[in-house]
């Protein structure tokens, strides 16, 4: 029976040191409880076994059952449970320590040995005996850190039938009562439980002999004579036991028996993952096509797909007319490569490039002065690039989804046609022509509306055929009753069908005329012929029903929807209307201001501004604006539709029927407008998200497309030696300068730190030279780095860069000498200093990877390592981030796009660049850092990459040829990949021929093995070898001998003399192979294998450095803005201040005050935060000129919004501005100054901005808009969450003094502001801290927390769990989310933090332990009350 312990996976907490059993937030894996006083906890594996009907019912009803019912049910349940477990389990689990003690007391003859180890961890197991545990011990040790307790063999022979001492304590009592028991009470309870257990054990052990049982020998003898010895059927029990033992032995312990499904999925170890590893098909294809595995396209469908994709892509290509047909052929060929040949994008782009280019011969006019000129020239047009290939692959999936839905509708229709003999011309005409999911959805709505009853009957028949029970739905909808009743005759009297109206609107075919009846609509509706006795008994009801039915037919017509949708896409506009909340929230500095008064903007404009549209939807979600899609010419459009539906006759009857038709049209258009507007917004959202994701891919490609920093005198691609430095936040006296020196192999050879490089003014009499500078110069001379890399977290990094440059100049620090290519002399250059992009290093410094690689280094040192490795190869660093790559910003609107969509596009960028550069398979097999690139190799993926590494290690850890990857039985080499995957990845996995002496030179190139013969033929022709010479070389050195001879003779440049055009023509003429681009690749690779094709290392621009070190862009910080600054120095001539972003601002004397008789130090003091206006900003030196003049601060900053005049509502903007200015004037008149360090003249928004960079619990005291007897206190609850507290002042001397009594919420009173801050705000902040540090707290959102609860209960169906998470909409509140088992609903209660306590459902609890206990009691009482 479900106990209260099922609610939470642990018992009530005893104190802060004794924690509940908790579960890992990411994996859901159980963590053992510490020192629980309530005996053993209900293990999740035991809960999985409890499939009793009564227990399931108890869980469905709630967490707690009634005390009396539970006691009765427990006895019955225990009896059944004992019997069932005796039958099911060959042997019971080992007894725990307390149970063995109890049995030993009842049976003194039994002894046990002392355990050697405590049981710290328990694995989840199936029903297995001790022998199986011994046999599978090797696998167990992989996943278990500690051995389990073992008990003496004699004790093991005693098993608990149905767990003899199971649930000795009353679980209900343990859960409900407080955990804080006195020692005496706890001891008394344990003694009581021990006595009960001893009595039970005595009852069971009484069968062991006469002395224990109390029977005489004579009585026992009589019992044996009557019933026998009990071993007559022992042979059957022995046989059953042997069979069970055999079955248990044959069962193998699998990973899914040990780990939770979520853990296996995270590690890619599920059965589905293993299937992907084993199938010889590119992994990315398998994952993407998984939903459509059942679809096989026919030839007609394949041709349709090619045309469909070509049409969609051609619209954005602006192709010339003569290129349309070649473009369609290219798309079709690429589809063949993807679908039929199963070739991935990098393979097609690299080895089938000729099919992506259209080459046309252009006749040349004869040149009389050049008789030897060619008759024609070849003009090549690139039809498809790599982005297009990924787009085609994505379109292929969309088309399969289209076909899948179309086939499903076709099957439904065929069932209606075959069984019900229904023929629908609209469906048969529109289904094959549907080219979008929207159109198919329209057809689906149509057929389910038109044949609702028939489809229900069809489903019922299918259920009977499949022998499944389906409950017949007898209730019919209103429209079904109308269609099947007499009223439908009135609908037919409208004289035209919905589809005919749509055809008229689309101008398809001949116009369909509307036929008028001979009588008025009112007269016809009064005719009893059209009345139904049950539903429509009056003429008014009949006419109303007929109009509703005809309107619904118009609404459900696929053609009519197509008409409306096309009109909206062609002429629709988007508008924004601010809400009352948005009026005040969206000021002129707000990012949403650019669309606050947006009007009449054509939909097509948002295709080029996808970020703005997504921000509009985000603002609408936040309740700041309302996004409206409308049709400006709707009245004209409505008139046209009316003409298409109305009769052309002129009579009273015709006019009356036209009015009825117009009413039905109005009803339909209203519904259609809502449907289409919603559809348009959703479609544009998808299009804009795709655009942003594509922009992220393009930006990521730019970041990836940079080679390692090129040392002076070296080839591009050479790995440099790097000295990396950082001063962190750059706070003097706290942050040291850390450095690392990394050699060309990526090894950290030296690290350390310096205190400071800043030097005193040499003109000062007390000048002392900074010895740290000399030490740094000595380091550079000793290590000879190729480059110095610097970065940091603040603007102080610029000062470090200047100091290092000064040291280099003063000490004349230079690079290692190298040979000048022009003069041949040994030269050296002044050492270069780079400010390096640190986005990867920031993620690396605290990552698990850095902890594993450098466990003893401080984070700032690991940050420097990340900088150095980024300089050595940016692509490897990005690839090592894996899914954390999403943390890097590629677009300002990136957060508005689903992460899965961004990750998918970023993966394609990595795939492109990794395959451009190739991977040394032998280095990757031995270096986990380089192995991070393998999942992005063509044909592979994370699962297959793991399998590749494992297979290579089995084969000896080294690959000597590409052919060896598919296995070599003669050399006992198992296949690393299958033939299809090998065909994809072979040319992108290279083998260094210098490292592997026996390797084929072509195995070190981008040439695919299918083209090796071409490469050898080109090498032979370049060497001018005849057939006999070639044969002799091959006989002596094998097929690779020709290319080796070319390299050995240093004759690679001879391949430039070959005329590749003739080669290409011969291949196409004789073998129908287009290889012109491939031949060019072979020629380049023979001269320099795997040449570095990436751009040179990209240096950051001034704006990029400024944004990296300050976090500010040109949009967020620019001249004219009014911002808060902190005063650092005050003199009579100037003021030095610091901006929140860390840069320094200077205020000249003329910008401080306009009053000559007031001293500056009377106005401002050090540490004070004031508002200042930015006059100028230098992004290079990171300095700003500021103004503190009141008149400068009053002039608001207005961001320039570039809109067409008709696209902006100037009238409403001006009206809103005047309203806000009046409000501001009123506030200025009531402005107060409060003498307190925390007081600032902020409004709510400014207070939040000020506290954004502060710590939790920091507060601001400000004036309140509620009047002169109120004060507002804003304090930081968490990131982006602030609580605004309204404080009422009582006993005030005047309006400008602080009240002598301050009250909050009418229940908390304080005497002054210090007491208010310390005893109210700080106390609540402490409660928030206590909550966030608790094991049950989740830092994720409520949605994510509920997902975790659901995942947990799915993995533990009989378990229940709860967790806390913050409520961002109500600062100071938290959600207490809980789920009582798999079938229970998710629920939550609100927890409020108050001074020194938590408030839950009107009850106060002093700490988290009490809160958890109180929750359990409250829920228990609630469940008990419901049952009563």
């Amino acid at each position: 029976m479900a106990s209260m312990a099922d609610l939470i996976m642990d018992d009530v907490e005893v104190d802060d040191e004794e924690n509940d059993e908790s579960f890992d937030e990411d994996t859901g894996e159980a963590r053992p409880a510490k020192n629980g006083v309530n005996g053993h906890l209900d293990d999740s594996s035991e809960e999985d076994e409890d499939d009793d009907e009564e227990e399931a019912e108890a869980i469905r009803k709630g967490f707690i059952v009634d005390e009396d019912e539970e006691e009765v049910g427990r006895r019955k349940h225990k009896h059944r449970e004992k019997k069932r477990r005796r039958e099911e389990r060959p042997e019971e689990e080992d007894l725990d320590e307390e149970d063995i003690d109890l049995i030993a007391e009842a049976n003194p003859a039994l002894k046990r040995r002392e355990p050697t180890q405590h049981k710290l961890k328990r694995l989840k197991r199936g029903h297995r005996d001790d022998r199986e545990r011994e046999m599978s011990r090797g696998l167990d040790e992989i996943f278990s850190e500690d051995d389990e307790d073992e008990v003496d063999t004699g004790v093991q022979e005693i098993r608990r039938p149905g767990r003899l001492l199971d649930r000795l304590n009353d679980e209900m009592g343990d859960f409900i009562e407080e955990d804080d028991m006195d020692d005496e009470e706890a001891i008394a309870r344990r003694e009581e439980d021990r006595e009960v257990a001893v009595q039970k054990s005595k009852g069971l052990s009484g069968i062991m002999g006469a002395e224990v049982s109390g029977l005489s020998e004579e009585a026992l003898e009589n019992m044996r004579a009557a019933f026998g010895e009990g071993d007559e059927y022992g042979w059957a029990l022995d046989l059953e036991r042997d069979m069970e033992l055999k079955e248990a032995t044959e069962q193998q312990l699998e990973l899914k028996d040990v780990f939770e499904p979520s853990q296996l999925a995270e590690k890619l170890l599920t059965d589905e993952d293993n299937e992907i590893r084993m199938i010889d098909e590119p992994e990315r294809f398998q994952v993407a096509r998984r939903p459509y595995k059942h679809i096989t396209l026919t030839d007609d469908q394949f041709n349709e797909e090619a045309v469909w994709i070509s049409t969609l892509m051609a619209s954005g290509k602006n192709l010339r007319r003569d290129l349309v047909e070649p473009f369609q052929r290219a798309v079709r060929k690429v589809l063949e490569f993807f679908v039929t040949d199963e070739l991935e994008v990098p393979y097609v782009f690299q080895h089938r490039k000729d099919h992506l280019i259209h080459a046309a011969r252009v006749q040349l006019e004869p040149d009389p002065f050049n008789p030897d000129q060619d008759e024609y020239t070849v003009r090549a047009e690139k039809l498809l690039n790599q982005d297009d290939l990924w787009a085609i692959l994505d379109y292929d999936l969309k088309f399969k989804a289209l076909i899948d839905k179309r086939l499903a509708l076709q099957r439904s229709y065929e069932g209606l046609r075959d069984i019900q003999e229904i023929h629908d011309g609209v469906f048969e005409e529109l289904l094959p022509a549907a080219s979008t999911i929207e159109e198919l959805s329209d057809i689906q709505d149509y057929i389910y509306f038109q044949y609702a009853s028939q489809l229900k009957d069809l489903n019922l028949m299918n259920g009977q055929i499949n022998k499944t029970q389906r409950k017949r739905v007898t209730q019919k909808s209103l429209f079904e009753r109308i269609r099947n009743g007499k009223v439908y005759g009135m609908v037919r009297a409208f004289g035209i069908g919905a589809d005919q109206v749509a055809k008229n609107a689309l101008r398809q075919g001949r116009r369909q005329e509307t036929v008028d009846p001979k009588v008025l609509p009112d007269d016809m509706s009064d005719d009893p012929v059209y009345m139904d006795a049950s539903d429509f008994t009056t003429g008014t009801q009949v006419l109303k029903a007929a109009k509703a039915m005809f309107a619904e037919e118009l609404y459900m017509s696929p053609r009519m929807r197509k008409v409306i949708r096309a009109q909206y896409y062609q002429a629709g506009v988007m508008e924004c209307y601010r809400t009352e909340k948005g009026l005040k929230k969206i000021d002129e500095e707000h990012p949403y201001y650019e669309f606050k008064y947006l009007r009449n903007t054509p939909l097509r404009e948002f295709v080029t501004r996808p970020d703005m549209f997504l921000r509009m939807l985000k603002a609408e979600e936040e309740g700041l604006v309302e996004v409206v899609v409308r049709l400006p010419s709707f009245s004209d459009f409505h008139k046209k539709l009316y003409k298409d539906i109305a009769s052309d006759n002129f009579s009273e009857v015709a006019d009356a029927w036209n009015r009825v038709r117009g009413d039905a049209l109005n009803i339909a258009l209203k519904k259609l407008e809502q449907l289409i507007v919603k559809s348009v917004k959703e479609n544009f959202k998808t299009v804009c998200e795709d655009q942003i994701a594509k922009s992220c891919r393009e930006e990521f490609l730019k970041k990836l497309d940079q080679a390692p920093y090129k040392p002076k005198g070296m080839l591009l691609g050479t790995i440099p030696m790097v000295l990396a430095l950082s001063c962190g936040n750059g706070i003097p006296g706290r942050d040291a300068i850390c450095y690392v020196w990394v050699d060309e192999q990526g090894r950290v050879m030296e690290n350390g730190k310096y205190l400071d490089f800043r030097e005193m003014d040499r003109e000062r009499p007390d000048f002392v030279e900074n010895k740290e500078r000399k030490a740094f110069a000595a380091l550079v001379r000793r290590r000879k780095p190729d480059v110095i890399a610097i970065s940091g977290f603040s603007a102080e990094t610029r000062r470090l860069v200047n100091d290092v440059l000064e040291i280099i100049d003063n000490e004349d620090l230079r690079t290692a000498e190298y040979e000048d290519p022009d003069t041949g002399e040994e030269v050296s250059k002044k050492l270069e200093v780079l400010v390096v992009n640190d986005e990867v290093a920031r993620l690396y410094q605290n990552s698990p990877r850095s902890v594993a690689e450098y466990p003893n280094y401080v984070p700032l040192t690991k940050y420097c390592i990340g900088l150095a490795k980024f300089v050595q190869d940016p692509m490897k660093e990005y690839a090592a981030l894996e899914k954390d790559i999403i943390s890097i910003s590629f677009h300002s609107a990136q957060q508005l796009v689903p992460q899965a969509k961004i990750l998918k596009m970023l993966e394609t960028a990595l795939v492109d660049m990794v395959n451009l550069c190739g991977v040394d398979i032998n280095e990757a097999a031995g270096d986990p850092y380089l192995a991070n690139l393998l999942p992005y190799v063509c044909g592979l993926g994370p699962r297959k990459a793991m399998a590749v590494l494992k297979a290579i290690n089995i084969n000896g850890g080294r690959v000597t040829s590409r052919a060896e990857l598919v296995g070599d039985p003669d050399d006992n080499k198992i296949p690393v990949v299958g033939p299809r995957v090998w065909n994809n990845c072979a040319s992108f996995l290279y083998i260094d021929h210098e490292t592997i002496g026996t390797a084929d030179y072509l195995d070190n190139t981008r040439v695919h093995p299918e083209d090796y013969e071409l490469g050898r033929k080109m090498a032979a022709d370049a060497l001018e070898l005849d057939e006999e010479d070639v044969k002799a070389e091959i006989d002596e050195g094998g097929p690779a001998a020709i290319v080796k001879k070319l390299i050995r003779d240093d004759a690679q440049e001879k391949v430039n003399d070959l005329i590749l055009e003739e080669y290409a023509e011969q291949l196409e003429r004789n073998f129908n192979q287009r290889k012109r681009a491939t031949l060019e690749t072979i020629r380049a690779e023979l001269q320099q294998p795997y040449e570095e094709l990436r751009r040179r290392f990209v240096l950051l621009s001034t704006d990029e450095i400024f944004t990296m070190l300050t976090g500010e862009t040109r949009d967020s910080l620019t001249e004219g803005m009014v911002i808060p600054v902190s005063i650092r120095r005050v003199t009579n001539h100037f003021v030095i201040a610091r901006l929140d972003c860390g840069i320094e601002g200077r205020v000249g004397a003329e910008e401080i005050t306009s009053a000559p008789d007031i001293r500056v130090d009377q106005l401002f003091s050090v540490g004070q935060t004031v508002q200042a206006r930015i006059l100028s900003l230098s992004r290079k030196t990171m300095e700003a000129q500021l103004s503190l003049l009141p008149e400068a601060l009053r002039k608001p900053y207005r961001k320039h919004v570039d809109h067409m005049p008709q696209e902006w509502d100037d009238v409403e903007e001006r009206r809103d501005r005047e309203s806000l200015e009046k409000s501001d004037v009123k506030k200025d008149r009531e402005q107060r100054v409060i003498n307190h360090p925390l007081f600032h003249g902020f409004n709510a928004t400014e207070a939040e901005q000020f506290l954004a960079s502060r710590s939790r619990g920091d507060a601001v005291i400000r004036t309140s808009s509620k009047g002169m007897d109120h004060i507002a206190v804003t304090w930081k609850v968490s990131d982006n969450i602030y609580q605004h507290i309204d404080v009422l002042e009582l006993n005030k001397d005047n309006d400008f003094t602080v009240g002598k009594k301050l009250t909050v919420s009418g229940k908390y009173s304080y005497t002054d502001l210090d007491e208010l801050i310390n005893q109210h705000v700080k106390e609540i902040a402490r409660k928030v801290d206590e909550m966030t540090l608790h094991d049950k707290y989740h830092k994720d959102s409520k949605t994510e927390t509920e997902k975790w609860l659901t995942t947990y209960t799915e993995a533990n169906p009989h378990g229940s769990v709860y967790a806390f998470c913050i409520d961002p909409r109500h600062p100071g509140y938290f959600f207490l989310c809980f789920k009582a088992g798999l079938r229970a609903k998710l629920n939550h209660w609100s927890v409020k933090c108050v001074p020194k306590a938590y408030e839950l459902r009107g009850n106060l609890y002093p700490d988290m332990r009490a809160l958890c206990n109180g929750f359990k009691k409250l829920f228990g009482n609630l469940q008990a009350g419901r049952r009563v």
Side-chain angles (χ1 to χ4, degrees), residues 357-475:
I357 300 172
H358 175 63
R361 292 186 176 184
V362 180
Q363 188 75 30
L364 296 177
E365 295 183 3
D367 185 358
F369 301 102
N370 184 15
D372 297 331
Q373 80 166 12
D374 296 332
E375 296 181 4
Y376 61 88
T377 184
V378 177
R379 185 175 67 188
E381 301 276 356
K382 192 171 185 179
L383 299 175
L384 297 170
N385 55 34
Q386 209 157 358
D387 290 343
D388 296 329
L389 297 183
W390 287 110
I392 292 173
L393 192 61
D394 189 51
Y395 280 130
D396 176 55
L397 298 177
K398 292 179 179 178
F399 186 80
K400 284 183 170 62
L402 191 76
I403 291 295
D404 191 22
K405 192 173 183 68
R406 183 192 293 176
L407 292 176
L409 290 174
Q410 185 67 38
R411 286 192 296 270
S412 298
Y413 178 71
E414 288 174 354
L416 291 173
R417 185 183 59 193
D418 297 341
I419 299 175
Q420 307 271 352
E421 297 185 357
I422 290 174
H423 295 276
D424 191 305
V426 175
F427 181 89
E428 293 177 357
E429 179 185 352
L430 294 181
L431 184 67
S435 60
T436 66
I437 292 293
E438 280 182 328
E439 293 178 357
L440 287 176
S441 297
D442 293 342
I443 296 172
Q444 179 178 344
D445 291 344
Y446 166 77
I447 193 172
Y448 276 83
F449 167 74
Q450 201 73 21
Y451 307 106
S453 300
Q454 294 89 332
L455 284 170
K456 291 176 184 177
D457 295 339
L458 180 63
N459 290 335
L460 182 63
M461 293 177 62
N462 291 335
Q464 292 175 349
I465 293 173
N466 297 330
K467 296 182 180 181
T468 58
Q469 295 182 353
R470 293 177 180 266
K471 185 178 179 181
R472 182 178 178 87
V473 181
T474 57
Q475 184 177 3

Side-chain angles (χ1 to χ4, degrees), residues 52-211:
D52 185 88
E53 289 294 333
E54 292 185 13
E55 180 177 13
E57 182 64 20
I59 292 178
R60 283 193 293 271
K61 289 181 178 179
F63 298 122
I64 306 173
V65 297
D66 187 73
E67 292 280 357
D68 297 335
E69 294 175 0
E70 183 182 19
E71 186 60 34
V72 175
R74 185 182 295 112
R75 289 196 294 269
K76 293 180 180 180
H77 170 67
K78 284 187 176 180
H79 177 72
R80 288 195 301 271
E81 192 68 5
K82 292 175 184 178
K83 181 178 179 181
R84 182 176 69 83
R85 296 192 180 184
R86 279 200 302 271
E87 294 173 350
E88 289 184 356
R89 303 180 70 152
E91 289 182 308
E92 273 294 327
E93 297 174 333
D94 293 341
L95 304 177
D96 60 28
E97 299 295 323
E98 185 175 347
D99 293 339
I100 294 174
D101 290 339
L102 293 175
I103 293 176
E105 289 183 13
N107 300 275
L110 295 175
K111 295 183 179 180
R112 58 183 290 271
R113 66 178 181 180
E114 291 297 322
T116 57
Q117 262 184 316
H118 291 292
K119 183 176 178 180
L120 297 179
K121 186 174 183 179
R122 175 177 178 175
L123 298 180
K124 183 178 179 182
R125 305 178 184 276
H127 305 301
R128 288 168 174 78
D129 59 8
D130 293 341
R131 178 175 296 183
E132 182 184 351
R133 283 197 289 270
E134 292 174 5
M135 295 173 62
S136 61
R137 181 57 182 165
L139 184 58
D140 290 354
E141 289 176 347
I142 297 176
F143 306 106
S144 178
E145 297 177 355
D146 305 291
D147 295 334
E148 297 187 5
D149 288 344
E150 297 180 358
V151 295
D152 191 77
T153 306
V155 176
Q156 290 181 3
E157 293 175 356
I158 302 175
R159 300 298 175 189
R160 292 176 289 177
R163 291 189 71 90
L164 177 63
L165 302 177
D166 192 22
R167 306 178 187 271
L168 291 177
N169 297 323
D170 184 353
E171 296 171 347
M172 185 68 181
D174 286 346
F175 186 83
I176 293 298
E177 292 188 10
E178 294 287 344
D179 283 349
D180 296 333
M181 289 190 294
D182 297 333
D183 293 340
E184 295 180 1
E185 182 183 353
I187 293 171
R189 175 173 292 185
R190 284 197 295 269
E191 288 298 327
E192 181 182 349
D193 294 340
R194 187 182 299 274
E195 290 176 6
V196 174
V198 169
Q199 293 299 325
K200 290 183 178 180
S201 63
K202 285 181 179 180
L204 286 171
S205 61
I207 64 174
M208 296 181 182
E211 295 179 1

Side-chain angles (χ1 to χ4, degrees), residues 990-1032:
Y990 64 85
I991 300 164
D992 189 355
H993 70 282
E994 295 181 358
T995 305
I996 309 296
T998 59
D1000 190 330
Y1001 179 85
L1002 292 176
D1003 282 346
N1004 191 36
T1005 67
R1006 291 184 172 90
V1007 181
H1008 194 277
E1010 68 178 8
D1011 297 320
Y1012 277 9
E1013 288 303 318
L1014 290 177
R1016 292 161 183 163
K1017 177 72 167 60
M1018 290 173 61
D1021 290 348
L1023 293 171
E1024 300 180 353
L1025 299 178
D1026 56 24
E1027 293 184 3
E1028 294 181 358
D1029 295 333
V1030 171
K1031 186 177 184 305

Side-chain angles (χ1 to χ4, degrees), residues 693-794:
K694 186 178 179 181
S695 299
C696 290
R697 165 184 156 82
E698 294 171 354
E699 185 64 27
F700 192 29
L701 275 172
K702 293 178 183 178
K703 294 176 181 289
L704 292 171
D705 189 16
Q706 50 180 330
Y709 173 83
K710 178 181 171 297
K712 297 291 191 297
M714 300 293 182
L715 291 175
L716 185 64
T718 304
I719 305 299
M721 297 180 291
V722 183
L723 178 62
L725 298 93
S726 178
C727 60
N729 290 313
I731 300 176
R734 196 185 77 175
D735 294 331
I737 301 171
C738 291
Y739 75 88
V740 296
W741 184 74
V742 182
D743 68 5
E744 63 271 21
Q745 296 180 357
R747 299 174 300 182
V748 179
M749 306 304 293
E750 183 176 345
N751 72 92
K753 63 181 181 179
Y754 300 103
L755 295 179
D756 197 359
F757 284 159
R758 285 178 290 187
E759 196 167 39
M760 299 172 59
D761 186 0
R762 290 180 176 272
E763 301 298 327
R764 291 178 53 176
D766 57 344
F767 168 77
V768 177
E769 189 174 15
N770 190 341
K771 295 182 179 180
E772 302 278 77
R773 291 189 165 212
K774 292 292 183 181
F776 175 73
L779 169 68
V780 173
R781 292 191 180 98
R782 183 175 74 254
R783 288 300 186 180
K784 295 287 184 184
D786 295 313
V787 66
I788 295 178
I790 298 178
S791 197
F793 311 143
S794 70

